[in-house]
Amino acid sequence: MEEYKKALLAPCKPMGLPWWLALIIVVLTYISVNRGTLSTDLAGCFLLMLSIGIVCDQIGNRLPIWNTYVGGGIVMTYIVSAVLFSYNCIPDKYVTAISTLMDDSVKMLVNGTEAKAVGSDFLSFFIIFLITGSIISLDRKLMIKSFIGYIPSIFGGLIGAAVFGVLGGLLFGVTPAMILIKYVLPVMGGGNGAGAVPLSQIYESVTGDNAANYYSFAIAILTIANVFAIISGALLKKLGEAKPDLTGGDGAKARLMREGHFDADDSKLAKPSLGDYGGAILLACAFYALGRLFAKAILPEIGGAPIHQFAYVILFVAIAALTGIIPDNIRNAAKTLQSFFTKNLINIIMVGVAVDTNIHDLLAACTFSNVVIAALIVLGCIIGSAIIGYLVGFFPIDTAVTAGLCMANRGGSGDLAVLGAADRMSLIPYAQLSSRLGGGIVLVIGSFIFGLLLK
C-alpha cells in the first residue's frame, strides 16, 4: 500500500517541466489539433506525440496495479494511443503524418489509386542510436561470449513456443500442423514487415492460395501476442525486483552474462564534448549506411535467407568495438546519446507504434481460443529461452525478455515496447538479433514447414 501511495504522490515534472507548464503545452496542442493549425512536419508530430505521451506516462506510472503489473506509463501510452487512432479521435492528416514519420514508406491513395509515399523512418533512426551506444560500451571478451550463447537461447524460445502452442491447440481441437503454420510461425517470425508479410508470400508460393488469406489471420494473432509480450515484459521486471538473483539488473545496468562486468567502466571513458556528440551521431548513421549497403547490394542473402540491415549494423558495430578503433570520448558520447533517446523519446516511439495497431481488428480476433493459444506461445518462448539462457551462462529473466519476448512481438517497434515495459532498453542489440536474425531463421524454418505440411 505504501508503494502505491508513494507513486500517487510522486512529484509531477513531465520531462523535467513544472506540471502547470506541461499542462499548458498539452492544452495548446489539443487546441491546435482541433483547429487544424498544428503543422504536420517533424516539429508538429513530435509535439503531438509527446503531449499524448507525457499525459499517459504520468497516469500509467501512478495508477495502482497498472504501474506494477501491466507496464506503467509506457504501456498506457501505447494502448491509449491505439484507441485514439482506431476510433478516429485524431484527424486523418495527423495520423498520416505520424505514419510517414515512423515508417520508411506509407501506403496512401492518390486520385483513387494506391501509392507509396517516402517516409522518414524515425523508428530506424531511434534504433541505430540504441544499438551503437549499447554495443560500443560493452566489455570485449564478454561481448563475444554473450553473442555466441545467444543463438541457442533463441532456439530455446522457438522450441518452447512450439511445444506450448501445440498443447494449447490440443485443448481447442486445432491440429499441431495448423498451430505451427498459423500461430507459432507468425508470432515468432520477427514482426510484421520481416515476418508476417514474407511468411504470407512463402505461403502463396507453396499453396497457390492468396497471400492475404494467410496474412489477415497471421497479423491478428501476432498483434494479440505482441500485447501479451509487452505485459509479460512488465511482469518479468517485477519478478526481477522480487528475485534479484535471476536477473542482471534493470535500466542502464541490465546485462545477460551471470559472470563478469558486462559494461565498460564509465570512469575510464573520456568526458565527451559537444563535438564528440556530433561524431557519435555521424558514426551511428555511417554504421546504418554500411548495414544497408550490405543488406541491399553486397550480400542481401546468405543461404537463401535474407539478412536484415540491422543484423549487419550489429555485426559491424561489434567488430569496431572489438578492434578498439573507436576513441573513448566517442564511445562515451554514443552511450550518453543512447540514454537520452531512451529516457526522452520512448513515448514518441510508443505513440508511433500504436498507429499500426487497429483495436477493431484486435478485438475481432480475440476469440477465447486465439487468446489462450497466443498466451501459451508467449509463455512457452519465455520458459524455453530462460532455461537455455541459464544453461549457457545468462540470467534467465533478461534472456526471456530478449531471446523470448523480442521474438514474439511486432519486430523493431515491438522490441522497444517490450524493453521499455521491462526497463531493459540497454539490451536492444540482443532484442534486434532476436527480431532480425531470429526472424530470418523462422522464415527458413517456415519455408520447410509450408512445403512439408501444405504441398
Side-chain angles (χ1 to χ4, degrees):
M1 197 65 187
E2 277 298 318
E3 183 181 348
Y4 293 140
K5 185 178 179 181
K6 185 179 179 181
L8 284 170
L9 298 178
C12 183
K13 296 188 68 174
M15 301 189 75
L17 296 173
W19 69 266
W20 57 267
L21 182 54
L23 180 61
I24 290 174
I25 293 172
V26 171
V27 172
L28 172 65
T29 304
Y30 171 78
I31 294 173
S32 299
V33 169
N34 189 51
R35 292 297 185 90
T37 60
L38 184 69
S39 65
T40 55
D41 56 11
L42 184 66
C45 287
F46 268 29
L47 180 59
L48 174 57
M49 297 163 86
L50 284 172
S51 296
I52 295 172
I54 60 175
V55 173
C56 295
D57 192 60
Q58 289 295 316
I59 295 173
N61 286 335
R62 296 167 188 273
L63 195 63
I65 299 177
W66 182 283
N67 61 356
T68 303
Y69 298 102
V70 181
I74 287 178
V75 178
M76 177 69 76
T77 301
Y78 169 71
I79 293 177
V80 170
S81 300
V83 171
L84 292 175
F85 290 125
S86 298
Y87 286 91
N88 302 316
C89 298
I90 298 175
D92 288 344
K93 71 174 184 177
Y94 298 114
V95 176
T96 302
I98 292 173
S99 297
T100 305
L101 171 69
M102 296 300 296
D103 297 329
D104 57 355
S105 64
V106 180
K107 291 182 180 179
M108 58 192 303
L109 291 178
V110 178
N111 296 327
T113 304
E114 188 177 271
K116 279 190 175 182
V118 177
S120 302
D121 200 5
F122 180 73
L123 184 62
S124 292
F125 186 73
F126 185 91
I127 289 173
I128 61 174
F129 285 102
L130 265 61
I131 290 175
T132 305
S134 297
I135 296 180
I136 280 178
S137 60
L138 299 183
D139 178 86
R140 298 179 188 178
K141 293 181 181 179
L142 289 177
M143 187 196 306
I144 297 173
K145 292 181 181 179
S146 62
F147 279 127
I148 291 174
Y150 195 68
I151 302 302
S153 301
I154 289 177
F155 276 103
L158 285 171
I159 294 171
V163 170
F164 275 68
V166 168
L167 291 176
L170 294 176
L171 293 175
F172 298 100
V174 184
T175 65
M178 285 300 102
I179 287 292
L180 294 176
I181 291 169
K182 298 181 69 176
Y183 292 83
V184 176
L185 288 177
V187 168
M188 304 297 290
N192 180 33
V197 171
L199 277 171
S200 64
Q201 294 168 343
I202 296 172
Y203 171 85
E204 182 177 71
S205 66
V206 171
T207 65
D209 190 17
N210 195 316
N213 294 333
Y214 180 87
Y215 177 79
S216 59
F217 185 83
I219 192 62
I221 294 300
L222 174 57
T223 302
I224 295 171
N226 186 62
V227 173
F228 278 123
I230 296 170
I231 294 174
S232 297
L235 293 175
L236 287 175
K237 177 181 184 295
K238 190 65 179 176
L239 178 60
E241 293 170 354
K243 301 285 186 180
D245 56 318
L246 298 179
T247 178
D250 53 19
K253 297 180 180 180
R255 58 194 177 98
L256 285 183
M257 297 290 293
R258 293 202 303 273
E259 297 180 0
H261 297 288
F262 197 59
D263 289 323
D265 185 356
D266 290 346
S267 64
K268 296 180 181 179
L269 297 178
K271 185 177 180 180
S273 66
L274 290 178
D276 294 334
Y277 290 113
I281 292 173
L282 178 63
L283 186 67
C285 293
F287 277 123
Y288 183 55
L290 182 61
R292 284 185 61 87
L293 177 64
F294 271 78
K296 303 295 182 182
I298 296 178
L299 193 61
E301 295 182 355
I302 297 179
I307 306 300
H308 195 276
Q309 57 214 28
F310 284 144
Y312 277 120
V313 172
I314 292 169
L315 173 64
F316 291 127
V317 174
I319 291 173
L322 289 170
T323 57
I325 63 174
I326 301 173
D328 286 349
N329 57 320
I330 300 297
R331 291 173 60 206
N332 203 14
K335 187 173 183 180
T336 304
L337 278 174
Q338 174 215 347
S339 299
F340 171 81
F341 272 71
T342 300
K343 184 174 181 61
N344 295 295
L345 301 183
I346 186 61
N347 279 322
I348 288 179
I349 296 298
M350 291 300 100
V351 176
V353 169
V355 173
D356 292 329
T357 303
N358 190 304
I359 295 294
H360 304 294
D361 293 341
L362 180 61
L363 293 176
C366 285
T367 63
F368 181 69
S369 59
N370 285 346
V371 169
V372 171
I373 292 172
L376 286 172
I377 290 172
V378 172
L379 178 62
C381 76
I382 291 173
I383 294 175
S385 58
I387 291 174
I388 299 301
Y390 182 81
L391 294 177
V392 298
F394 294 166
F395 286 103
I397 287 179
D398 307 278
T399 311
V401 170
T402 52
L405 296 179
C406 289
M407 283 285 288
N409 59 29
R410 295 191 64 167
S413 60
D415 290 344
L416 297 178
V418 168
L419 292 177
D423 193 19
R424 281 160 173 78
M425 199 66 75
S426 60
L427 298 180
I428 185 68
Y430 300 98
Q432 285 294 297
L433 278 177
S434 294
S435 291
R436 308 311 175 185
L437 180 58
I441 292 171
V442 170
L443 291 181
V444 174
I445 294 173
S447 63
F448 285 110
I449 290 179
F450 284 154
L452 182 65
L453 301 179
L454 294 179
K455 260 191 176 181

